[in-house]
Amino acid sequence: MTATFPTASRYLRASGRCFSGFNDEHEGPWAGNWTFVILADTQFGLLKAKFELFPDQPDGFERAMSTNRVGDLFSGQAWEVERAMAVEAVRHCNWLMPKFVIVCGDMIDAMPVTGRSIDEGRDGRNEVLRQKQIDDFKSVFADLHPDISLLCVCGNHDVGNVPNRKTIQDFRREFGDDYFSFTAGGCRCLVL
């Protein structure tokens, strides 16, 4: 198992393009079978997202999961379903006790402000909502067993469709490096 880290630093262990706790000296040699868990698109706010074109949608008319979008899309103001699924995922991870859990992007739904035309209308206009989603994501994953390392990879909802210096810096401030490498159980791992 890896060393236990305080909750506050759990999200900032990817630094200097490495991941603290996983180094060649301790993790370089093969020491037998081990496991890890991949989670993707926890995306707090996804299921209650609304299209600006239809601001008075009935409850059953949340985001249609298709590529046929018309109008601006705004992240949901509530994410109880996504939160409940993430809580259940954390519970299962704690039962499995893998070496690490990696969340492969889109931790939250609210897009960052990028200032680029490709992201226009993708709700980077609400930094307060965005921070609430980040804080809630962190509060759920704070319950991940302290011996399980949490690795977060940036997705387009975390850094924008065309990332820029500011969105990358914001991601790094909240979750650590945007790409890094580490050694775990005799395997070299790249997080891109």
Side-chain angles (χ1 to χ4, degrees), residues 115-126:
R116 304 214 176 171
S117 59
I118 192 169
D119 291 325
E120 263 185 58
R122 291 290 300 151
D123 96 334
R125 298 161 279 209
N126 193 337

Side-chain angles (χ1 to χ4, degrees), residues 1 8 31 35 99 102 114 124 133 152 157 170 177:
M1 281 293 148
T35 60
K99 190 175 281 285
I102 186 164
T114 64
Q133 291 176 357
C152 296
H157 284 261
D170 290 347
D177 281 354

Side-chain angles (χ1 to χ4, degrees), residues 1 10 35-37 39 85-101 139-150:
M1 281 293 148
R10 159 166 263 160
T35 60
F36 65 96
V37 172
L39 303 175
M85 289 188 289
V87 165
E88 187 67 12
V90 167
R91 190 178 71 74
H92 282 283
C93 290
N94 287 341
W95 180 79
L96 292 169
M97 288 302 293
K99 190 175 281 285
F100 61 86
V101 171
S139 77
V140 169
F141 282 88
D143 290 335
L144 189 65
H145 192 283
D147 287 342
I148 302 171
S149 294
L150 177 66

Side-chain angles (χ1 to χ4, degrees), residues 63-84:
R63 176 186 284 179
M65 303 307 250
S66 79
T67 56
N68 299 323
R69 292 192 328 234
V70 179
D72 285 358
L73 183 62
F74 290 89
S75 185
Q77 299 292 314
W79 45 90
E80 62 277 352
V81 174
E82 297 93 315
R83 188 180 203 290

Side-chain angles (χ1 to χ4, degrees), residues 6 16 23 25 27 36 41 48 51 55 68 81 85 89 96-97 100 103 105 128 141 144-145 164 174 176 178 180 186:
N23 57 49
E25 181 182 331
E27 291 284 339
F36 65 96
D41 296 281
K48 295 287 184 180
F51 288 105
N68 299 323
V81 174
M85 289 188 289
L96 292 169
M97 288 302 293
F100 61 86
V103 182
V128 172
F141 282 88
L144 189 65
H145 192 283
N164 61 39
E174 295 288 350
D178 51 319
F180 53 94

